[in-house]
Coordinates of all heavy atoms in Angstrom, one line a residue:
M1 N -25.2 -3.5 -2.5 CA -25.0 -2.1 -2.2 C -25.7 -1.4 -3.4 O -25.4 -1.8 -4.6 CB -23.6 -1.7 -2.2 CG -23.2 -0.4 -1.8 SD -21.5 0.1 -1.6 CE -21.0 -0.7 -0.3
A2 N -26.3 -0.3 -3.3 CA -27.0 0.4 -4.4 C -25.9 1.1 -5.2 O -24.9 1.5 -4.7 CB -27.9 1.5 -3.7
K3 N -26.2 1.3 -6.4 CA -25.2 2.0 -7.4 C -24.9 3.4 -7.0 O -23.7 3.7 -7.1 CB -25.9 2.0 -8.8 CG -25.9 0.7 -9.5 CD -26.2 0.7 -10.9 CE -26.2 -0.7 -11.4 NZ -25.7 -0.7 -12.9
S4 N -25.8 4.1 -6.4 CA -25.3 5.5 -6.0 C -24.3 5.5 -4.8 O -23.5 6.2 -4.7 CB -26.8 6.2 -5.5 OG -27.3 5.6 -4.4
K5 N -24.4 4.5 -4.0 CA -23.5 4.3 -2.9 C -22.2 3.9 -3.4 O -21.2 4.2 -3.0 CB -24.0 3.3 -1.8 CG -25.1 3.6 -1.0 CD -25.4 2.7 0.2 CE -26.7 3.2 0.8 NZ -27.0 2.2 2.0
D6 N -22.1 3.0 -4.4 CA -21.0 2.6 -5.1 C -20.3 3.7 -5.8 O -19.0 4.0 -5.6 CB -21.1 1.7 -6.3 CG -21.6 0.1 -5.8 OD1 -21.3 0.0 -4.6 OD2 -22.1 -0.6 -6.5
R7 N -21.0 4.7 -6.5 CA -20.4 5.9 -7.0 C -19.9 6.8 -6.0 O -18.9 7.4 -6.2 CB -21.5 6.4 -7.9 CG -21.7 5.8 -9.3 CD -22.5 6.7 -10.2 NE -23.5 5.7 -10.9 CZ -24.8 5.9 -10.8 NH1 -25.3 6.9 -10.1 NH2 -25.6 4.9 -11.2
T8 N -20.7 6.9 -4.9 CA -20.2 7.8 -3.8 C -18.8 7.3 -3.2 O -18.0 8.0 -3.0 CB -21.3 7.8 -2.7 OG1 -22.4 8.3 -3.3 CG2 -20.8 8.8 -1.6
W9 N -18.7 6.0 -3.0 CA -17.5 5.5 -2.6 C -16.4 5.7 -3.4 O -15.3 6.0 -3.1 CB -17.6 3.9 -2.2 CG -16.4 3.3 -1.6 CD1 -16.1 3.3 -0.3 CD2 -15.4 2.8 -2.3 NE1 -14.8 2.8 -0.2 CE2 -14.4 2.3 -1.5 CE3 -15.1 2.5 -3.8 CZ2 -13.2 1.8 -1.8 CZ3 -14.0 1.9 -4.1 CH2 -12.9 1.6 -3.1
I10 N -16.5 5.4 -4.7 CA -15.5 5.6 -5.8 C -15.1 7.0 -5.8 O -13.8 7.3 -5.8 CB -15.9 5.1 -7.1 CG1 -16.1 3.5 -7.1 CG2 -15.1 5.5 -8.2 CD1 -16.9 2.9 -8.4
K11 N -16.0 7.9 -5.8 CA -15.6 9.4 -5.8 C -14.8 9.7 -4.6 O -13.9 10.3 -4.6 CB -16.9 10.3 -5.9 CG -16.7 11.6 -6.0 CD -18.0 12.5 -6.3 CE -17.6 13.9 -6.3 NZ -18.9 14.7 -6.4
Q12 N -15.3 9.3 -3.3 CA -14.6 9.5 -2.1 C -13.1 8.9 -2.3 O -12.1 9.5 -1.9 CB -15.3 9.0 -0.9 CG -16.5 9.8 -0.6 CD -17.2 9.1 0.6 OE1 -17.1 8.0 0.7 NE2 -18.1 9.9 1.1
H13 N -13.0 7.7 -2.8 CA -11.8 7.0 -2.7 C -10.8 7.6 -3.8 O -9.8 7.9 -3.5 CB -12.0 5.6 -3.5 CG -10.8 4.8 -3.6 ND1 -10.0 4.2 -2.5 CD2 -10.1 4.4 -4.6 CE1 -9.1 3.5 -2.9 NE2 -9.1 3.6 -4.2
L14 N -11.4 8.3 -4.9 CA -10.5 8.9 -5.9 C -10.0 10.1 -5.5 O -9.0 10.7 -5.9 CB -11.2 8.9 -7.2 CG -11.5 7.6 -8.0 CD1 -12.3 7.8 -9.3 CD2 -10.0 6.9 -8.3
N15 N -10.8 10.9 -4.6 CA -10.5 12.1 -4.0 C -9.7 12.0 -2.7 O -9.2 13.0 -2.2 CB -11.7 12.8 -3.7 CG -12.4 13.4 -4.9 OD1 -11.8 13.5 -6.1 ND2 -13.7 13.5 -4.9
D16 N -9.4 10.8 -2.3 CA -8.6 10.6 -1.1 C -7.2 11.1 -1.3 O -6.6 10.7 -2.3 CB -8.7 9.0 -0.7 CG -7.9 8.8 0.6 OD1 -8.4 9.0 1.7 OD2 -6.6 8.5 0.5
R17 N -6.6 11.8 -0.3 CA -5.3 12.4 -0.5 C -4.2 11.2 -0.7 O -3.3 11.4 -1.5 CB -5.1 13.2 0.8 CG -3.5 13.6 1.0 CD -3.6 14.5 2.2 NE -3.5 13.9 3.4 CZ -2.5 14.0 4.3 NH1 -1.6 14.8 4.1 NH2 -2.5 13.4 5.5
Y18 N -4.3 10.2 0.1 CA -3.4 9.1 0.0 C -3.5 8.3 -1.3 O -2.5 7.8 -1.9 CB -3.4 8.2 1.3 CG -3.0 8.9 2.5 CD1 -3.9 9.3 3.4 CD2 -1.6 9.0 2.7 CE1 -3.5 10.0 4.6 CE2 -1.2 9.8 3.8 CZ -2.1 10.2 4.7 OH -1.7 10.8 5.9
V19 N -4.6 8.2 -1.9 CA -4.9 7.6 -3.1 C -4.1 8.3 -4.2 O -3.5 7.9 -5.1 CB -6.2 7.3 -3.4 CG1 -6.5 6.8 -4.9 CG2 -7.0 6.2 -2.5
Q20 N -4.4 9.6 -4.2 CA -3.7 10.5 -5.1 C -2.3 10.5 -5.0 O -1.5 10.5 -6.0 CB -4.3 11.8 -5.0 CG -5.8 12.1 -5.5 CD -6.4 13.5 -5.1 OE1 -5.7 14.3 -4.5 NE2 -7.6 13.5 -5.5
M21 N -1.7 10.5 -3.8 CA -0.3 10.5 -3.5 C 0.3 9.2 -4.0 O 1.3 9.2 -4.6 CB 0.0 10.7 -2.0 CG -0.1 12.0 -1.4 SD 0.0 12.2 0.4 CE 1.4 11.3 0.7
S22 N -0.4 8.0 -3.8 CA 0.1 6.9 -4.2 C 0.2 6.7 -5.8 O 1.3 6.1 -6.4 CB -0.7 5.6 -3.7 OG -2.0 5.6 -4.2
Q23 N -0.7 7.3 -6.5 CA -0.8 7.3 -7.8 C 0.4 8.2 -8.3 O 1.1 7.8 -9.3 CB -2.1 7.8 -8.4 CG -3.1 6.8 -8.2 CD -4.6 7.4 -8.7 OE1 -4.8 8.6 -8.7 NE2 -5.5 6.5 -8.7
R24 N 0.4 9.4 -7.8 CA 1.6 10.3 -8.2 C 3.1 9.7 -7.9 O 3.9 9.8 -8.7 CB 1.5 11.5 -7.3 CG 2.6 12.6 -7.6 CD 2.7 13.8 -6.6 NE 3.1 13.3 -5.4 CZ 2.8 13.5 -4.3 NH1 1.8 14.6 -3.9 NH2 3.3 13.1 -3.1
D25 N 3.2 9.0 -6.8 CA 4.6 8.4 -6.4 C 4.7 7.0 -6.8 O 5.9 6.5 -6.7 CB 4.7 8.4 -4.9 CG 4.5 9.8 -4.2 OD1 4.8 10.8 -5.0 OD2 4.3 9.8 -3.0
G26 N 3.8 6.4 -7.6 CA 4.1 5.2 -8.3 C 3.8 4.0 -7.3 O 4.4 2.9 -7.6
Y27 N 3.1 4.2 -6.2 CA 2.9 3.0 -5.3 C 1.6 2.3 -5.8 O 0.7 2.9 -6.2 CB 2.7 3.4 -3.8 CG 4.0 3.9 -3.2 CD1 4.1 5.1 -2.6 CD2 5.1 3.0 -3.0 CE1 5.3 5.5 -2.0 CE2 6.3 3.5 -2.5 CZ 6.3 4.7 -2.0 OH 7.5 5.0 -1.4
R28 N 1.6 1.0 -5.5 CA 0.4 0.2 -5.9 C -0.8 0.5 -5.1 O -2.0 0.2 -5.5 CB 0.8 -1.4 -5.7 CG 1.8 -1.9 -6.6 CD 2.1 -3.3 -6.3 NE 2.9 -3.9 -7.4 CZ 2.4 -4.6 -8.2 NH1 1.1 -4.8 -8.5 NH2 3.2 -5.1 -9.2
S29 N -0.7 1.0 -3.9 CA -1.9 1.4 -3.0 C -1.5 2.3 -1.9 O -0.3 2.6 -1.8 CB -2.3 0.0 -2.2 OG -1.4 -0.4 -1.3
R30 N -2.6 3.0 -1.4 CA -2.4 3.8 -0.3 C -1.7 3.3 0.9 O -1.3 4.0 1.7 CB -3.8 4.6 -0.1 CG -4.8 3.7 0.6 CD -6.2 4.2 0.6 NE -6.4 5.6 1.3 CZ -6.5 5.6 2.7 NH1 -6.7 4.5 3.4 NH2 -6.5 6.8 3.2
A31 N -1.9 2.0 1.0 CA -1.3 1.3 2.3 C 0.1 1.4 2.3 O 0.7 1.4 3.5 CB -1.6 -0.2 2.2
S32 N 0.8 1.6 1.4 CA 2.1 2.1 1.2 C 2.6 3.1 2.3 O 3.6 2.9 3.0 CB 2.8 2.5 -0.1 OG 2.5 1.5 -1.0
Y33 N 1.8 4.1 2.5 CA 2.0 5.2 3.4 C 1.8 4.7 4.7 O 2.5 5.3 5.7 CB 1.2 6.4 3.0 CG 1.6 7.0 1.6 CD1 0.8 6.6 0.6 CD2 2.7 7.7 1.5 CE1 1.2 7.1 -0.7 CE2 3.2 8.1 0.3 CZ 2.3 7.8 -0.9 OH 2.6 8.3 -2.1
K34 N 0.9 3.7 5.0 CA 0.8 3.2 6.4 C 2.0 2.7 6.9 O 2.5 2.8 7.9 CB -0.3 2.2 6.4 CG -1.8 2.8 6.2 CD -2.8 1.9 6.1 CE -4.2 2.6 5.7 NZ -5.3 1.5 5.6
L35 N 2.7 1.7 5.9 CA 3.9 1.2 6.3 C 5.0 2.2 6.4 O 5.9 2.0 7.4 CB 4.3 0.0 5.3 CG 5.7 -0.7 5.6 CD1 5.6 -1.5 6.9 CD2 6.0 -1.7 4.4
L36 N 5.1 3.2 5.6 CA 6.1 4.2 5.7 C 6.0 4.9 7.1 O 7.0 5.3 7.6 CB 6.2 5.1 4.4 CG 6.5 4.4 3.2 CD1 6.2 5.5 1.9 CD2 8.0 4.2 3.2
E37 N 4.9 5.1 7.4 CA 4.5 5.8 8.8 C 5.0 4.9 9.9 O 5.8 5.4 10.9 CB 3.1 6.1 9.0 CG 2.8 6.9 10.2 CD 1.4 7.5 10.1 OE1 0.8 7.7 9.2 OE2 0.7 7.4 11.4
I38 N 4.8 3.5 9.9 CA 5.3 2.7 10.9 C 6.8 2.7 11.0 O 7.5 2.7 12.0 CB 4.7 1.4 10.7 CG1 3.2 1.4 10.9 CG2 5.4 0.2 11.6 CD1 2.5 0.0 10.5
L39 N 7.4 2.6 9.7 CA 8.9 2.6 9.7 C 9.4 3.9 10.0 O 10.7 3.8 10.4 CB 9.3 2.2 8.2 CG 8.7 0.8 7.8 CD1 9.0 0.6 6.4 CD2 9.5 -0.3 8.6
A40 N 8.9 5.0 10.0 CA 9.5 6.2 10.4 C 9.6 6.3 12.0 O 10.6 6.8 12.5 CB 8.5 7.4 10.1
K41 N 8.8 5.4 12.6 CA 8.9 5.4 14.1 C 9.9 4.1 14.6 O 10.7 4.4 15.4 CB 7.5 5.0 14.7 CG 6.6 6.3 14.5 CD 5.2 5.9 15.2 CE 4.4 7.1 14.8 NZ 2.9 6.9 15.2
D42 N 10.0 3.1 13.8 CA 10.7 2.0 14.1 C 11.3 1.4 12.9 O 10.4 0.9 12.0 CB 9.9 0.9 14.8 CG 9.5 1.3 16.3 OD1 10.2 1.8 17.0 OD2 8.2 1.2 16.4
A43 N 12.5 1.3 12.6 CA 13.1 0.7 11.5 C 13.2 -0.7 11.5 O 14.0 -1.4 11.9 CB 14.6 1.2 11.4
L44 N 11.9 -1.3 11.1 CA 11.7 -2.8 11.2 C 12.3 -3.6 10.1 O 12.6 -4.7 10.2 CB 10.2 -3.0 11.4 CG 9.4 -2.4 12.6 CD1 8.0 -2.5 12.5 CD2 10.1 -2.9 13.8
I45 N 12.4 -2.8 9.0 CA 13.0 -3.5 7.8 C 14.2 -3.0 7.3 O 14.4 -1.6 7.1 CB 11.8 -3.3 6.6 CG1 10.6 -3.8 7.0 CG2 12.5 -4.0 5.3 CD1 9.5 -3.7 6.0
K46 N 15.3 -3.7 7.2 CA 16.6 -3.3 7.0 C 17.2 -4.0 5.7 O 16.8 -5.1 5.4 CB 17.4 -3.6 8.3 CG 17.0 -2.8 9.5 CD 17.8 -3.2 10.7 CE 17.5 -2.5 11.9 NZ 16.3 -2.9 12.6
P47 N 18.1 -3.4 5.2 CA 18.8 -4.1 3.9 C 19.3 -5.5 4.4 O 19.8 -5.8 5.5 CB 20.1 -3.2 3.8 CG 19.7 -1.9 4.1 CD 18.8 -2.2 5.3
G48 N 19.2 -6.5 3.4 CA 19.5 -7.8 3.7 C 18.7 -8.7 4.3 O 18.7 -9.9 4.4
M49 N 17.5 -8.3 4.8 CA 16.4 -9.0 5.4 C 15.6 -9.8 4.4 O 15.5 -9.5 3.3 CB 15.4 -8.1 6.2 CG 16.0 -7.4 7.5 SD 14.8 -6.5 8.4 CE 14.1 -7.7 9.5
L50 N 15.0 -10.9 4.9 CA 14.0 -11.6 4.2 C 12.6 -11.2 4.8 O 12.4 -11.3 6.1 CB 14.2 -13.1 4.4 CG 12.9 -13.9 3.9 CD1 12.8 -13.8 2.5 CD2 13.2 -15.3 4.4
V51 N 11.8 -10.7 3.9 CA 10.5 -10.2 4.4 C 9.4 -11.0 3.7 O 9.4 -11.2 2.5 CB 10.2 -8.7 4.1 CG1 8.9 -8.3 4.3 CG2 11.3 -7.7 4.7
V52 N 8.5 -11.5 4.5 CA 7.3 -12.2 4.0 C 6.0 -11.6 4.3 O 5.8 -11.1 5.4 CB 7.3 -13.7 4.7 CG1 6.1 -14.4 4.1 CG2 8.5 -14.5 4.5
D53 N 5.4 -11.3 3.1 CA 4.1 -10.4 3.2 C 3.1 -11.4 2.8 O 2.7 -11.7 1.6 CB 4.2 -9.4 2.2 CG 3.0 -8.4 2.2 OD1 2.1 -8.5 2.9 OD2 3.1 -7.3 1.4
L54 N 2.2 -11.8 3.9 CA 1.1 -12.8 3.5 C -0.1 -11.8 3.4 O -0.3 -10.9 4.2 CB 1.0 -13.7 4.8 CG 2.1 -14.5 5.0 CD1 2.0 -15.4 6.3 CD2 2.4 -15.4 3.9
G55 N -1.0 -12.2 2.4 CA -2.1 -11.4 2.1 C -1.6 -10.1 1.5 O -2.1 -9.1 1.8
A56 N -0.8 -10.2 0.5 CA -0.1 -9.0 0.0 C -0.7 -8.2 -1.0 O -0.4 -7.1 -1.3 CB 1.3 -9.6 -0.6
A57 N -1.8 -8.7 -1.6 CA -2.5 -7.9 -2.7 C -3.0 -6.6 -2.1 O -3.6 -6.6 -0.9 CB -3.7 -8.7 -3.3
P58 N -2.9 -5.5 -2.9 CA -2.3 -5.2 -4.1 C -0.9 -5.1 -4.3 O -0.3 -5.0 -5.3 CB -3.1 -4.1 -4.6 CG -3.4 -3.2 -3.4 CD -3.5 -4.3 -2.4
G59 N -0.1 -5.1 -3.1 CA 1.4 -5.0 -3.2 C 1.9 -3.9 -2.8 O 3.2 -3.8 -2.9
G60 N 1.3 -2.9 -2.1 CA 2.0 -1.7 -1.7 C 3.0 -1.9 -0.6 O 4.1 -1.3 -0.6
W61 N 2.7 -2.8 0.4 CA 3.7 -3.0 1.5 C 4.8 -3.9 0.9 O 5.9 -3.5 1.2 CB 3.1 -3.8 2.7 CG 2.2 -3.0 3.6 CD1 1.4 -1.9 3.3 CD2 2.2 -3.2 4.9 NE1 0.7 -1.5 4.3 CE2 1.3 -2.1 5.4 CE3 2.7 -4.0 5.7 CZ2 1.0 -1.9 6.8 CZ3 2.6 -3.9 7.1 CH2 1.6 -2.9 7.7
S62 N 4.6 -4.8 0.0 CA 5.8 -5.4 -0.7 C 6.6 -4.6 -1.5 O 7.8 -4.7 -1.5 CB 5.1 -6.5 -1.5 OG 4.4 -7.4 -0.9
Q63 N 6.0 -3.5 -2.1 CA 6.8 -2.6 -2.9 C 7.6 -1.8 -2.0 O 8.8 -1.6 -2.3 CB 5.9 -1.7 -3.6 CG 6.4 -0.8 -4.7 CD 5.4 0.2 -5.4 OE1 4.1 0.1 -4.9 NE2 5.7 0.6 -6.5
V64 N 7.1 -1.3 -1.0 CA 7.9 -0.5 -0.1 C 9.1 -1.4 0.6 O 10.3 -1.0 0.6 CB 7.1 0.1 1.2 CG1 8.0 0.7 2.1 CG2 6.2 1.2 0.6
A65 N 8.8 -2.6 1.0 CA 9.7 -3.5 1.7 C 10.8 -3.9 0.6 O 12.0 -3.9 1.0 CB 9.0 -4.7 2.1
A66 N 10.5 -4.1 -0.6 CA 11.5 -4.4 -1.6 C 12.6 -3.3 -1.9 O 13.8 -3.5 -2.0 CB 10.8 -4.7 -2.9
G67 N 12.1 -2.1 -1.7 CA 13.0 -1.0 -1.8 C 13.9 -0.8 -0.5 O 15.0 -0.4 -0.7
L68 N 13.4 -1.3 0.6 CA 14.3 -1.1 1.9 C 15.3 -2.4 2.0 O 16.3 -2.2 2.6 CB 13.2 -1.2 3.0 CG 12.4 0.2 3.0 CD1 11.4 0.1 4.1 CD2 13.2 1.4 3.3
V69 N 14.9 -3.5 1.6 CA 15.8 -4.7 1.8 C 16.9 -4.6 0.7 O 17.9 -5.4 1.0 CB 15.1 -6.0 1.8 CG1 13.9 -6.1 2.9 CG2 14.5 -6.3 0.4
T70 N 16.8 -3.9 -0.2 CA 17.7 -3.7 -1.2 C 18.0 -5.1 -2.0 O 17.3 -6.0 -1.7 CB 19.1 -3.1 -0.8 OG1 19.7 -3.9 0.1 CG2 18.9 -1.7 -0.2
S71 N 19.0 -5.1 -2.9 CA 19.1 -6.3 -3.6 C 19.9 -7.4 -2.9 O 20.0 -8.6 -3.2 CB 20.1 -5.9 -4.8 OG 21.4 -5.4 -4.4
S72 N 20.3 -7.0 -1.5 CA 20.9 -8.1 -0.8 C 20.0 -8.8 0.1 O 20.2 -9.8 0.8 CB 22.0 -7.4 0.2 OG 21.3 -6.5 1.1
G73 N 18.7 -8.4 0.1 CA 17.4 -9.1 0.8 C 16.5 -9.6 -0.2 O 16.7 -9.5 -1.5
S74 N 15.4 -10.1 0.4 CA 14.3 -10.6 -0.6 C 13.0 -10.3 0.2 O 12.8 -10.2 1.3 CB 14.4 -12.2 -0.6 OG 15.6 -12.5 -1.3
V75 N 11.9 -10.2 -0.8 CA 10.6 -10.1 -0.3 C 9.8 -11.2 -1.0 O 9.9 -11.4 -2.2 CB 10.0 -8.7 -0.6 CG1 8.5 -8.7 -0.3 CG2 10.7 -7.5 0.0
V76 N 9.1 -11.9 -0.1 CA 8.2 -13.1 -0.7 C 6.8 -12.6 -0.3 O 6.4 -12.4 0.9 CB 8.5 -14.5 0.0 CG1 7.5 -15.4 -0.5 CG2 9.8 -14.8 -0.3
A77 N 6.0 -12.4 -1.4 CA 4.7 -11.8 -1.2 C 3.6 -12.9 -1.7 O 3.7 -13.3 -2.9 CB 4.6 -10.6 -2.0
L78 N 2.7 -13.3 -0.9 CA 1.7 -14.2 -1.2 C 0.3 -13.7 -1.0 O 0.1 -13.1 -0.1 CB 2.0 -15.5 -0.4 CG 3.2 -16.1 -0.4 CD1 3.3 -17.3 0.7 CD2 3.4 -16.9 -1.7
D79 N -0.6 -14.1 -2.0 CA -1.9 -13.6 -1.8 C -2.7 -14.6 -2.8 O -2.1 -14.9 -3.7 CB -2.3 -12.2 -2.2 CG -3.6 -11.7 -1.5 OD1 -4.6 -12.3 -1.8 OD2 -3.5 -10.8 -0.7
M80 N -4.0 -14.7 -2.5 CA -5.0 -15.5 -3.5 C -5.3 -14.6 -4.6 O -5.7 -15.1 -5.6 CB -6.1 -16.0 -2.7 CG -5.7 -17.1 -1.7 SD -7.2 -17.7 -0.7 CE -8.1 -18.5 -2.0
L81 N -5.4 -13.3 -4.3 CA -5.7 -12.4 -5.5 C -4.6 -11.9 -6.2 O -3.4 -12.0 -5.8 CB -6.2 -11.1 -4.7 CG -7.6 -11.2 -3.9 CD1 -7.9 -10.0 -3.2 CD2 -8.7 -11.8 -4.8
P82 N -4.7 -11.6 -7.6 CA -3.6 -11.1 -8.3 C -2.9 -9.8 -7.8 O -3.7 -9.0 -7.3 CB -4.1 -11.0 -9.7 CG -5.5 -10.9 -9.6 CD -5.9 -11.6 -8.2
M83 N -1.7 -9.6 -8.0 CA -1.0 -8.5 -7.6 C -0.7 -7.7 -8.8 O 0.2 -7.4 -9.4 CB 0.2 -8.8 -6.8 CG -0.2 -9.4 -5.4 SD 1.1 -9.6 -4.3 CE 2.3 -8.5 -4.5

């Protein structure tokens, strides 16, 4: 990919509304809002559950899930990439 395309993508990424919201709200990634949107329709994750997040990097979904399962539940997050 040419450097100008890289810079264009980075600029678009940094100007993305969800990227800015995730930085403001302390989420690891913009994907956190995708899970929150799904959960607004169906409460799939509840306190006390065991949640397994495969392919978890950078950890946005795991972060949201950890808050929902509370201390009575667990989140196991696995990825080949660092989180």
Side-chain angles (χ1 to χ4, degrees):
M1 186 181 292
K3 287 189 182 218
S4 63
K5 288 184 181 182
D6 286 342
R7 282 189 228 124
T8 301
W9 181 87
I10 290 170
K11 185 177 179 181
Q12 289 174 341
H13 179 74
L14 293 176
N15 289 329
D16 181 87
R17 168 172 82 123
Y18 290 103
V19 170
Q20 292 174 354
M21 286 171 50
S22 65
Q23 291 171 346
R24 181 194 69 217
D25 295 341
Y27 287 122
R28 292 176 168 265
S29 71
R30 68 190 303 274
S32 302
Y33 296 102
K34 294 176 185 179
L35 180 58
L36 290 169
E37 187 176 319
I38 292 168
L39 295 172
K41 295 177 184 175
D42 295 307
L44 301 173
I45 301 175
K46 298 177 178 76
M49 291 180 86
L50 168 63
V51 175
V52 178
D53 186 358
L54 302 175
W61 281 37
S62 299
Q63 187 178 17
V64 170
L68 295 171
V69 298
T70 68
S71 60
S72 62
S74 297
V75 176
V76 177
L78 300 170
D79 202 301
M80 293 177 67
L81 299 173
M83 290 180 37

